[in-house]
Amino acid sequence: MRSDTFVELMYRRLHGELQTADYIGWADALLEQGCMLPEIAEMASFAFEQAPDAREVERYFLLCAQQLGLRVPQDEYQATRDHWAQTCEQILDGRVGLDDGVARLHAIDNDCGYHLMLPWNDLSDYDGAVHWHDQRRQIAAEDINRLGREAYVRLLTRQFAALCRLPQAALPACFPDVWHCIACGHEHHRATDTAQRAAPCPGCGAPDTLKNMRYLENRQYML
């Protein structure tokens, strides 16, 4: 069974955008795909009721998710990360075009300001020629110019999907707007919008192990 629709449903559910008809439609689609779970059939049958009980429909939905082995996220950020990861996988396997996929990632973020979206905001800055005339440099520009935009975006997409699949506790606070030592794990919260990619670690003293996580190659150390 494809879980794409389920992931989107979970995102919409935790953002208060889901209607009772969406749950019932999900069950009906599973029946068409050949799912034989009795509870799915029972849930789909709510479509024949004039005013289905919303609580009862959701109860069946959660029961079906459990029996199908589908994880139900309990917070908006986790549901957002799942939706991001799924969208990245759709981009990588060709179901969604590159630029359309990038637009979808921003739409999923919905201006929530999650730190994890910073690399995509850096790409938007590059595409929009932002910061060319101030003291800061475009974080992504050097790597994009070296690799080519399409190759860079595909690498970023693959990396972002993997980061979204990590447990939230596996990443430093405010990641990737942070400096992180790959030797001792020390976190240093200083400006990351700089050309400097590495520095000596003030925690363990190792040279160049404090990495600026705004950069693509440095984020790979977290995977």
Side-chain angles (χ1 to χ4, degrees):
M1 187 202 76
R2 287 175 66 106
S3 62
D4 292 6
T5 303
F6 178 81
V7 170
E8 184 176 350
L9 284 179
M10 289 295 91
Y11 170 84
R12 292 173 57 203
R13 174 176 178 263
L14 288 172
H15 283 78
E17 302 171 0
L18 211 56
Q19 304 297 319
T20 300
D22 296 318
Y23 289 124
I24 298 171
W26 174 76
D28 190 56
L30 289 184
L31 282 180
E32 292 181 0
Q33 294 173 25
C35 180
M36 303 300 292
L37 195 67
E39 288 81 3
I40 288 290
E42 183 71 22
M43 185 175 166
S45 72
F46 281 108
F48 299 106
E49 298 184 11
Q50 185 173 359
D53 185 306
R55 291 184 179 179
E56 187 69 0
V57 171
E58 184 173 40
R59 185 180 72 82
Y60 266 93
F61 175 76
L62 295 175
L63 177 62
C64 291
Q66 181 182 31
Q67 294 193 5
L68 291 168
L70 298 171
R71 181 173 59 83
V72 178
Q74 299 303 315
D75 66 86
E76 289 185 15
Y77 185 44
Q78 185 58 61
T80 298
R81 286 158 59 102
D82 290 344
H83 202 0
W84 277 334
Q86 173 191 277
T87 301
C88 287
E89 289 156 6
Q90 291 172 337
I91 295 170
L92 293 170
D93 67 19
R95 281 180 284 158
V96 175
L98 203 61
D99 289 333
D100 182 32
V102 172
R104 291 189 190 190
L105 293 173
H106 283 289
I108 293 166
D109 178 58
N110 197 27
D111 295 325
C112 287
Y114 292 122
H115 284 95
L116 201 56
M117 274 296 289
L118 266 176
W120 297 105
N121 296 334
D122 290 338
L123 175 66
S124 294
D125 285 352
Y126 174 87
D127 288 339
V130 177
H131 303 322
W132 279 118
H133 304 297
D134 65 19
Q135 295 301 309
R136 295 186 297 173
R137 69 191 295 278
Q138 289 182 312
I139 293 296
E142 183 178 332
D143 290 335
I144 293 174
N145 292 333
R146 174 173 55 86
L147 297 168
R149 185 183 182 280
E150 181 174 346
Y152 176 86
V153 174
R154 290 196 178 280
L155 286 172
L156 176 57
T157 300
R158 190 174 303 280
Q159 181 187 78
F160 191 65
L163 289 170
C164 287
R165 294 299 190 198
L166 290 176
Q168 294 185 31
L171 296 174
C174 300
F175 182 88
D177 191 18
V178 65
W179 292 70
H180 177 78
C181 179
I182 60 173
C184 72
H186 177 81
E187 295 175 24
H188 194 54
H189 294 273
R190 69 184 192 190
T192 57
D193 52 350
T194 170
Q196 188 177 12
R197 300 190 181 213
C201 176
C204 66
D208 294 332
T209 57
L210 189 69
K211 303 293 185 180
N212 183 348
M213 290 292 146
R214 285 286 284 280
Y215 286 94
L216 182 76
E217 79 271 16
N218 289 345
R219 291 191 295 273
Q220 282 298 115
Y221 287 108
M222 309 305 297
L223 299 174

